Amino acid sequence: MKQSENMIGIVLMLAAMAMFALEDAFIKTLSNGMVTGQILVTLGAGGFVIFALIARRQGARVFSRDLLHGPVLLRNLGEIIGTSGYVLAVVLTPLSSASAILQATPLAVALGAALFLGQAVGWRRWVAIIAGFIGVLIVIRPGLEGFRPASLFAVQGVIGLSIRDLATRAMPPRISSMVLSAFGFGVIVPVGLVMMVFEGPAILPDGWQSAYIAAALVVGPVGYYMIVAAMRVGEVAVVTPYRYVRLVFAMIIGMLAFGEVLDFYTLLGSAIIIGSGLFTIYRERRARKAL
């Protein structure tokens, strides 16, 4: 029975990663005629409404004093830094390289847990974390001919999303995950408005742009639900490694939809990042079994 549950969890995780890769593709497509700030405002407001309605349906209070709780504020700050950085990377750089750098987020979370939460990390995991960040440098290639300064927005995304994930670990259990998700989207709205001051005014979306916005607002929440369901149905240690399939989907979409060409350094760096992440998951699993 457990094996079949793990298989269901794996399928759900694969589907969730496909949804997130599609969401990135819709964002990149929208950026052809819409400024990044408007994209953030539109998706932020839409995501807030969707998750707030779900939270209310579940009986949770959307607005409460819990929102002023320290970890909640820190989580929202991380969401602002991470989402704005990653969306800018998706818009300004190849989808495959932005997604490759994002895969370093679990390694950054492991680093933050060791430095700030006192989590024990053995020398093997330290080596894996360092190797993963070397993989990020290979993808970015600072100082070399293929260097794109906008790739640093993806690094900003990794830092912000790591802060978000670390803050989530300190979250009081009474706070609904749907409420947290609602405000994770909501806090992006003012950031987008500020960006629009410098980028230019908003436009009235045409039919295709409206369709892409609607599609992004569907696949994002659906992907979120699938990843939660995957973690509940299957064993975390079995299901989690399949998060990295998002990069495969991103590369395929990048090549087919945007004409991206995968170079040697992007593939090499991606392989190192994924290998380091998988090894870190393996060592964490071994550490839990030893307790």
Side-chain angles (χ1 to χ4, degrees):
M1 189 66 167
K2 197 63 182 177
Q3 186 174 0
S4 63
E5 290 175 346
N6 282 337
M7 184 57 64
I8 293 172
I10 289 170
V11 172
L12 286 169
M13 179 62 76
L14 292 174
M17 295 304 103
M19 294 296 104
F20 291 143
L22 284 172
E23 182 183 29
D24 292 344
F26 292 138
I27 290 172
K28 192 170 186 66
T29 302
L30 283 168
S31 69
N32 290 328
M34 187 179 293
V35 295
T36 307
Q38 184 177 358
I39 295 173
L40 289 174
V41 170
T42 305
L43 298 183
F48 174 82
V49 170
I50 290 171
F51 281 106
L53 289 174
I54 295 172
R56 288 295 299 160
R57 185 175 179 81
Q58 293 178 346
R61 292 180 60 190
V62 177
F63 297 95
S64 70
R65 293 183 62 85
D66 287 333
L67 296 175
L68 301 178
H69 197 69
V72 177
L73 295 175
L74 183 60
R75 186 187 190 279
N76 288 337
L77 175 62
E79 193 76 69
I80 290 171
I81 296 170
T83 301
S84 59
Y86 182 63
V87 168
L88 282 168
V90 166
V91 168
L92 299 174
T93 68
L95 188 63
S96 52
S97 63
S99 184
I101 296 169
L102 185 71
Q103 305 312 308
T105 302
L107 296 171
V109 171
L111 175 63
L115 295 178
F116 303 111
L117 301 181
Q119 181 174 316
V121 174
W123 68 269
R124 293 181 182 85
R125 272 190 280 174
W126 278 116
V127 171
I129 291 170
I130 293 171
F133 290 141
I134 291 174
V136 171
L137 289 175
I138 292 174
V139 174
I140 296 176
R141 281 163 280 177
L144 299 180
E145 184 178 350
F147 173 59
R148 296 184 181 89
S151 294
L152 296 177
F153 283 123
V155 176
Q156 175 188 326
V158 170
I159 294 171
L161 296 179
S162 301
I163 293 172
R164 180 200 67 185
D165 291 349
L166 288 169
T168 302
R169 296 188 180 191
M171 208 68 62
R174 66 178 181 273
I175 302 179
S176 163
S177 59
M178 293 297 107
V179 172
L180 290 176
S181 298
F183 281 94
F185 277 94
V187 294
I188 300 302
V189 174
V191 177
L193 291 172
V194 171
M195 290 175 62
M196 287 170 61
V197 173
F198 300 96
E199 291 181 314
I203 64 167
L204 182 64
D206 60 24
W208 280 109
Q209 289 169 329
S210 299
Y212 288 134
I213 291 169
L217 288 173
V218 169
V219 296
V222 168
Y224 177 85
Y225 261 121
M226 284 182 171
I227 201 171
V228 171
M231 291 298 189
R232 288 178 175 173
V233 172
E235 296 176 87
V236 173
V238 174
V239 173
T240 299
Y242 289 89
R243 284 176 177 265
Y244 291 104
V245 177
R246 177 176 181 173
L247 176 56
V248 177
F249 288 130
M251 287 180 171
I252 293 173
I253 292 173
M255 289 187 293
L256 296 180
F258 302 106
E260 296 178 6
V261 178
L262 301 178
D263 58 60
F264 171 76
Y265 291 106
T266 298
L267 292 172
L268 175 62
S270 299
I272 293 173
I273 294 168
I274 292 175
S276 301
L278 291 174
F279 181 78
T280 301
I281 293 171
Y282 167 74
R283 293 302 304 178
E284 288 179 353
R285 186 179 183 183
R286 287 278 301 271
R288 288 195 185 100
K289 283 185 175 181
L291 293 177

